[in-house]
Amino acid sequence: MDFGPYLFLAVLEGTVTAAVLALTALGLSLVFGVMRIVNVAHGEFFMLGAVLAWWFSSMVSGSPAIGFLVAIVMAPLVVGAIAVLCERTVLKRINYDPEATIVATIGILYIIQQLALTFYGADARPVQAPVNFRVVFPWFGYSGYKLVVIAASAVLLLATWFVLTRTRFGLIMRATQFDSETAQAFAIPVDRVYAVVFAIGAMLAATAAVLIVPIQQAHYLMGGDPLLLSFIVVIIGGLGSIFGTVVAAIIIGISDGVISVFFTPTLAKILATLLVALVLVLRPQGLFGKTPR
Amino acid sequence: MAKSKKTLITPKRDLITRRSALKGIAAAGAAAAASTTAPGFVRYVQAQTSEPLKLGFQVHKTGIGAAYGRWYERVVNACVGEINANGGIAGRQVEIVSEDDGTDPKRGAEMIEKFATQHGVDIAFGTLFSHVVMGSAPRAGELKLPYYVVSEGYHVSSGALNRYTFQPGITDVRSQVSSMAPWVADKLGKKVTMIYPDYAFGHDHRDYFSEAMKKQGGEIVELIPIPPTETSYTKYFPKIPSSTEVLYHVMVGPGVLTFVKELGEHYGSNRPEIFGFIDSLEAVPIDSPGLEFLEGTYFWEGYPRYAQPDQTPYDKHYREVVGVNDEGASVNDPKDISTYSHMFGCWETLYIIKQAIEASGYKGPKDKAALIEATEAITDIPWDNQHPQGDKVFNGKMHQVFGHQNISQVANSKLDVVHRTSIEDGMYENDTDYSKMPL
């Protein structure tokens, strides 16, 4: 294949990665930004989203599109409920203490993972794509559904941005992020905001997973990679900065696609990690993060 | 509150331990009394050898190998049930001590240690994933614990391991690919592109299939290694040269469906011949959405998943005892597909262990050396209920078994066997001779 089409393919692949990664990392970034906690179990919420998507779609008979629509509505809702449960029963009890939450969320990670193994099993199970068409470029064929994933992610990212910047709820969230004590003084129920934010973070990851699962099967160990990549993205983009998260996801996603096509996937990972190290040394607050006051 | 909790839980625990302790004491007392005072009960003198034979089963219950582990466990339980119902091994009942290694080499070595020192097993067996075998076997050698793996890696016969490690129930990758190559070159084409996972298992494929193809006058036009953690494959497909006549794939892990689906999207209906290893699709239904692309392509199968028209009574018996239907799925759940091409290895390994123990007169760990030598002395293995996959030849120097392989074609979302190789097709020579190593 010639260089041009090859590069085009690499960019397409990278964009799919970036789209899903942006959604997942945005969830992690929101939780960190507002609650100031590091959620190590974030990848497991992603996995749960995928596993539940399989469950819901296999319950619905008939057209795969209906099954998928049920999954993309229901799976994030259930994952959100589970996240609230974790938040109320674990994180709240330890007062969101930064060190304790890391250990606690590692525990949650293992509990969720093993429960998935027990009840869902060790198989990788496919979910049928809601639309099934092949886009034929002059040089190669490409999955139409992957283009749908890119579009859907973009819409969801815009929606999240809209909620955060243009609605009353977004204002409350931003206020809590800016200064939770003052927010509380202004009668913002910080406690409830935390629960909602934690749920939204998990739901974003779950939604990303439902989108990816027709491409990449649900498997109980699939939460590891998104977690690692989300951390990389959030650190590069700046903790708590939504714009930074999206930009970093695009950088990481596309560079991963292009570098692994033209060189090796290992090199792509090396460079991403190196970039994290550079950011931490030269600009610890991240590319778009604000210096803490 | 705390008090009531305590009374609820602890007495139960106490009862169990006390009861089991009492039982143990009573049994020991009875045995002692019988053997010393009552001459009519002399047969209790051999109580030590009538104890169950303990086999340590190293199983991938969690981690990347869990789908295989689940079926390995079912086969082992079914097989041990059959052995025990027929009087056990050398008159002793078999007890399986299973430990999860998490498909992790480090934990694998720890499990071997646990088997030897804590459980005091006679034999360890059952490991599949080659990196776990590589992690565990050296420890088994140091502890002098007979270790029977079911892994299909070339590591046993390559000479990399030790005198205590055997692979008597399943053939190795080198043998498998060497026996496939003549058929591939003859029927499908001589210009091959290989797609394989970038670690030991994939490298065995790369090295020995390339070698075997060259012998057939074939040519490997491109090698495409894929990192084991990869989840998306589209970006690798442009590397497949257009001169490719045969695409050879062997992929393992949760990404395989994606692999096939994306390959289908890349090629559409205009594809080269495709030859794959069923490892890509073990535990996966052939009629899964996205796998339509595989229709008409070929697979290596260690043991045909679908009952064939010429099914042997041995295969029928094996399916019945394990609980697998004619489509290779669990009889309880037709969606639960077995790892049919690998799991028979556990069954056959257990019967080899039985044969070796009975031939060596093994009574306990002090007879280990005799057990090792008896295993090495095995040569021809018949095709019967104990070895349902087919007849085999065991090479005592290499500690490796050789057998028949099958090539199947996907037709109507099923696998039909189109060729069965001879044992000789998969034979090769090397310098390995474990039998010269000290015991």
Side-chain angles (χ1 to χ4, degrees):
Chain A
M1 199 181 280
D2 295 331
F3 180 78
Y6 203 173
L7 183 67
F8 178 52
L9 178 71
V11 171
L12 270 181
E13 280 292 285
T15 312
V16 177
T17 313
V20 176
L21 186 55
L23 273 182
T24 317
L26 186 59
L28 190 72
S29 175
L30 263 185
V31 169
F32 179 84
V34 177
M35 300 167 73
R36 299 278 144 192
I37 61 162
V38 175
N39 177 19
V40 185
H42 194 65
E44 301 317 306
F45 290 130
F46 180 88
M47 178 273 286
L48 268 184
V51 165
L52 288 169
W54 174 83
W55 196 66
F56 280 117
S57 65
S58 63
M59 280 203 318
V60 180
S61 56
S63 157
I66 300 172
F68 184 83
L69 285 178
V70 173
I72 201 155
V73 175
M74 290 305 294
L77 283 177
V78 175
V79 171
I82 294 171
V84 170
L85 188 75
C86 294
E87 200 271 347
R88 291 287 100 168
T89 54
V90 180
L91 302 184
K92 192 183 172 198
R93 310 278 154 162
I94 52 177
N95 280 326
Y96 311 103
D97 174 67
E99 282 101 27
T101 46
I102 292 180
V103 180
T105 49
I106 291 176
I108 294 174
L109 178 158
Y110 283 119
I111 292 170
I112 295 180
Q113 200 176 81
Q114 293 306 309
L115 284 176
L117 175 63
T118 308
F119 293 105
Y120 170 79
D123 297 318
R125 299 180 209 231
V127 172
Q128 262 182 291
V131 288
N132 212 344
F133 60 98
R134 183 168 169 260
V135 180
V136 184
F137 295 107
W139 320 277
F140 56 84
Y142 199 71
S143 157
Y145 177 70
K146 284 187 177 173
L147 303 177
V148 174
V149 169
I150 297 174
S153 292
V155 170
L156 284 166
L157 286 172
L158 279 175
T160 313
W161 170 82
F162 181 82
V163 168
L164 282 175
T165 54
R166 295 285 185 276
T167 65
R168 191 179 151 73
F169 177 69
L171 184 68
I172 290 174
M173 262 168 71
R174 280 181 292 138
T176 312
Q177 170 167 7
F178 194 70
D179 186 337
S180 64
E181 277 176 27
T182 314
Q184 198 149 24
F186 280 86
I188 288 176
V190 168
D191 182 57
R192 255 183 287 162
V193 172
Y194 278 4
V196 172
V197 166
F198 197 71
I200 292 179
M203 286 165 78
L204 280 170
T207 313
V210 178
L211 284 177
I212 201 77
V213 81
I215 307 176
Q216 205 195 90
Q217 291 91 49
H219 186 249
Y220 81 106
L221 290 175
M222 73 191 294
D225 262 12
L227 177 71
L228 189 69
L229 284 171
S230 296
F231 269 122
I232 289 177
V233 162
V234 169
I235 292 170
I236 293 176
L239 283 160
S241 157
I242 289 167
F243 181 65
T245 304
V246 174
V247 171
I250 292 169
I251 295 175
I252 292 296
I254 295 190
S255 70
D256 185 81
V258 174
I259 296 168
S260 44
V261 164
F262 290 104
F263 301 96
T264 68
T266 317
L267 184 68
K269 299 277 182 301
I270 293 172
L271 288 180
T273 320
L274 191 68
L275 186 58
V276 169
L278 281 177
V279 166
L280 284 175
V281 171
L282 301 176
R283 208 179 145 81
Q285 70 274 33
L287 295 182
F288 297 91
K290 294 190 186 74
T291 324
R293 292 165 306 133
Chain B
M1 186 64 194
K3 203 179 172 189
S4 70
K5 252 187 199 165
K6 208 176 174 187
T7 49
L8 267 174
I9 297 165
T10 42
K12 217 174 172 187
R13 271 201 203 134
D14 281 351
L15 267 179
I16 288 166
T17 48
R18 211 174 281 148
R19 187 178 288 167
S20 49
L22 281 174
K23 262 190 194 165
I25 292 165
S35 59
T36 50
T37 59
F41 286 90
V42 239
R43 66 170 182 271
Y44 274 103
V45 172
Q46 52 153 328
Q48 199 192 346
T49 53
S50 299
E51 276 173 9
L53 193 71
K54 272 181 150 178
L55 304 186
F57 179 27
Q58 193 186 21
V59 52
H60 307 324
K61 278 189 195 171
T62 55
I64 199 82
Y68 280 94
R70 181 182 69 209
W71 279 99
Y72 267 42
E73 203 168 14
R74 288 179 188 166
V75 171
V76 164
N77 290 338
C79 186
V80 167
E82 182 178 275
I83 289 176
N84 282 342
N86 294 328
I89 295 181
R92 295 165 68 182
Q93 291 289 293
V94 178
E95 183 191 331
I96 295 291
V97 183
S98 61
E99 285 281 358
D100 176 23
D101 59 23
T103 327
D104 178 87
K106 190 169 158 284
R107 254 173 87 182
E110 288 164 7
M111 290 311 121
I112 293 294
E113 183 100 37
K114 204 171 167 188
F115 281 142
T117 55
Q118 216 169 312
H119 295 303
V121 302
D122 297 279
I123 287 170
F125 79 103
T127 325
L128 168 65
F129 274 54
S130 51
H131 62 304
V132 186
V133 172
M134 291 307 277
S136 310
R139 196 71 195 111
E142 286 160 15
L143 294 164
K144 297 189 185 296
L145 178 68
Y147 182 43
Y148 294 72
V149 301
V150 189
S151 148
E152 72 172 6
Y154 175 58
H155 34 59
V156 179
S157 58
S158 68
L161 300 175
N162 52 60
R163 187 144 189 205
Y164 285 84
T165 307
F166 293 93
Q167 186 152 257
I170 193 164
T171 56
D172 66 289
V173 168
R174 180 171 177 185
S175 168
Q176 291 164 1
V177 299
S178 318
S179 65
M180 299 287 102
W183 189 89
V184 171
D186 186 39
K187 303 277 187 214
L188 302 182
K190 294 203 190 307
K191 291 188 173 170
V192 182
T193 292
M194 295 184 73
I195 302 185
Y196 56 92
D198 198 7
Y199 61 93
F201 172 72
H203 297 165
D204 281 352
H205 276 268
R206 176 194 64 195
D207 296 345
Y208 297 109
F209 188 75
S210 307
E211 181 191 287
M213 273 314 272
K214 277 186 198 119
K215 267 189 205 154
Q216 302 299 323
E219 183 194 351
I220 305 295
V221 288
E222 185 69 55
L223 293 170
I224 305 179
I226 300 208
T229 52
E230 188 56 270
T231 51
S232 171
Y233 305 88
T234 304
K235 51 184 179 266
Y236 298 95
F237 298 143
K239 293 185 184 167
I240 304 171
S242 51
S243 63
T244 301
E245 291 168 2
V246 184
L247 192 63
Y248 177 105
H249 67 94
V250 49
M251 299 301 301
V252 192
V256 291
L257 283 180
T258 314
F259 172 78
V260 172
K261 205 162 176 268
E262 295 185 336
L263 197 61
E265 278 152 2
H266 181 78
Y267 273 118
S269 55
N270 188 18
R271 61 165 173 81
E273 290 288 358
I274 294 177
F275 181 87
F277 262 63
I278 196 69
D279 304 50
S280 306
L281 292 176
E282 283 283 67
V284 176
I286 304 284
D287 56 3
S288 297
L291 294 190
E292 303 83 7
F293 177 69
L294 288 176
E295 194 70 19
T297 70
Y298 298 89
F299 277 102
W300 164 86
E301 282 197 288
Y303 191 6
R305 177 188 293 183
Y306 289 87
Q308 299 295 309
D310 59 349
Q311 188 190 24
T312 60
Y314 319 130
D315 182 53
K316 215 176 175 118
H317 169 81
Y318 169 75
R319 282 182 198 259
E320 211 172 277
V321 177
V322 178
V324 175
N325 65 19
D326 286 351
E327 280 74 47
S330 163
V331 286
N332 302 319
D333 178 5
K335 281 187 182 154
D336 187 358
I337 306 294
S338 66
T339 58
Y340 210 75
S341 277
H342 294 84
M343 66 189 197
F344 72 91
C346 289
W347 179 282
E348 300 205 357
T349 300
L350 282 166
Y351 275 107
I352 292 286
I353 290 174
K354 179 175 191 297
Q355 186 184 343
I357 285 181
E358 291 176 349
S360 65
Y362 177 91
K363 297 274 187 298
K366 62 176 186 346
D367 304 324
K368 272 179 201 169
L371 174 65
I372 299 295
E373 282 164 355
T375 313
E376 285 169 350
I378 293 173
T379 48
D380 293 335
I381 300 167
W383 195 351
D384 55 18
N385 275 347
Q386 283 77 51
H387 306 95
Q389 188 266 350
D391 50 328
K392 294 185 182 60
V393 174
F394 185 72
N395 184 322
K397 288 181 178 174
M398 295 185 196
H399 284 194
Q400 175 63 51
V401 80
F402 293 86
H404 299 278
Q405 315 293 342
N406 305 283
I407 296 174
S408 301
Q409 187 176 24
V410 183
N412 303 317
S413 294
K414 286 187 170 192
L415 288 156
D416 293 338
V417 176
V418 292
H419 178 66
R420 184 170 166 91
T421 68
S422 71
I423 299 181
E424 291 69 34
D425 288 344
M427 293 273 201
Y428 54 82
E429 296 291 322
N430 68 17
D431 303 333
T432 307
D433 189 355
Y434 288 116
S435 66
K436 286 196 184 124
M437 288 183 175
L439 274 162

